[in-house]
Structure formats: structure tokens, C-alpha cells
Amino acid sequence: MLQTLCRYNHWMNEKLYEVCASMPDELRKADKGAWFHSMHGTLNHLLLADRVWLGRFTGEPFAARSLDEELYSDFQTLWQERRKTDEAIAKWLDALSDEQLLAHFSYWTMTNPQQITQPLWEATLHLFNHQTHHRGQLTTLMEQSGYDSGVTDLLWMLREEK
């Protein structure tokens, strides 16, 4: 299941970045009143959050000041770094065993700092669910701006893979 979600994560990121690449930079960065203000802000947040989680998982922390920190103002650089991070997530996930996924995993939260311990599979599932949650916001912003994000259903990706 996690392998499938990882593929879906990459598939959707590529689809949405392709649509965003067709927009003027000013539109991508326009404050639309979303949680992370703009489409660009949402894409930055997703990359930042994935890097924070991957750093927790690998024991190589990713330093971030806040969850809305802008990592890259340049869209092409942001997309390039998104691809690198998606590859790193897939590589990390490929190396995990079932035993590792069932083992307890501890980390410190960024907001309201506290230590959390839970099975690794739960935190990994959250990584992919978090992406889906914010991509839903992103597709709404795209649609409101006159851009079609296309089909976003997991089943569609699975059909394409056959």
C-alpha cells in the first residue's frame, strides 16, 4: 500500500507541477487566501514537510524555521527539488522491511514541540496523506484560476500503469 501511495505521490506531483509550469509566475505566487497563501506557497510547504519527515525517518534532520518557510522562490528550482525529494522518498521506502514499518518511531513535532512515538507505518502513511490533503487545496486554487488539474484519482494512475 505504501509503495502505491509513493507512486501516486510522484505521479500527482508531476501532473500538478506541469500545470503550474504553464501559469505566469505572478499567478502561481498570488495570495488566494489559502492556508499557505498561494499555489507556490502550497508547493513549497509540501516540499518542506516532506523533507522534514524524510529527515526524521532517515535520522538526518532537515532544518526548517516554520511550516510556511519558502525554500525556493524560483519555480523551476522548486520543481527540480520536488523531483529529487520524491526520488529520495521512494529510495528510502524501498529499503524498509515490514519489521521496520511495524517498529515504534519517535520524533519531535515542530509546532507545540512534544515527542511523539508511534509505529513507523503510521507516520509514513501520514506523509502521503498530508500530500493528498494539500494537493486538494492546490487543485481548488488551480480551478479557481482557470487551470484544469486533470484527473487526480488514485485509480486512474493504477489504470495507466497497466
Side-chain angles (χ1 to χ4, degrees):
M1 176 184 69
L2 293 173
Q3 293 288 346
T4 300
L5 291 174
C6 187
R7 291 192 321 276
Y8 176 70
N9 182 58
H10 174 72
W11 182 74
M12 279 303 305
N13 284 336
E14 283 298 304
K15 284 175 59 92
L16 297 183
Y17 270 85
E18 285 175 16
V19 174
C20 285
S22 69
M23 298 176 188
D25 202 44
E26 299 78 30
L27 178 60
R28 273 194 311 271
K29 292 181 176 179
D31 190 335
K32 300 287 188 180
W35 189 260
F36 293 100
H37 309 290
S38 65
M39 290 178 264
H40 190 84
T42 302
L43 292 169
N44 256 284
H45 168 71
L46 285 169
L47 179 59
L48 181 140
D50 280 3
R51 286 185 169 178
V52 167
W53 278 106
L54 189 59
R56 289 170 175 164
F57 296 150
T58 63
E60 300 172 14
F62 180 78
R65 292 183 305 277
S66 69
L67 293 173
D68 63 352
E69 177 181 344
E70 183 177 60
L71 298 177
Y72 305 100
S73 62
D74 176 72
F75 178 75
Q76 290 302 320
T77 303
L78 181 65
W79 193 357
Q80 178 183 29
E81 294 299 317
R82 173 76 265 170
R83 286 175 168 155
K84 287 179 186 177
T85 301
D86 284 350
E87 288 174 21
I89 292 168
K91 183 178 177 180
W92 169 78
L93 189 60
D94 285 344
L96 289 179
S97 67
D98 289 344
E99 292 77 22
Q100 288 171 302
L101 285 166
L102 292 171
H104 281 98
F105 167 71
S106 296
Y107 60 94
W108 283 89
T109 59
M110 282 185 65
T111 55
N112 190 25
Q114 59 181 309
Q115 188 174 37
I116 304 292
T117 299
Q118 63 193 117
L120 181 59
W121 74 265
E122 289 180 359
T124 305
L125 185 60
H126 169 74
L127 170 86
F128 298 123
N129 186 64
H130 177 258
Q131 278 270 349
T132 299
H133 165 69
H134 286 296
R135 280 194 304 256
Q137 295 170 340
L138 182 60
T139 58
T140 297
L141 296 175
M142 290 173 155
E143 295 289 331
Q144 290 172 346
S145 299
Y147 288 81
D148 183 5
S149 59
V151 178
T152 62
D153 292 337
L154 172 66
L155 289 176
W156 196 269
M157 180 204 73
L158 295 171
R159 289 181 198 137
E160 283 185 6
E161 290 180 342
K162 291 184 181 181

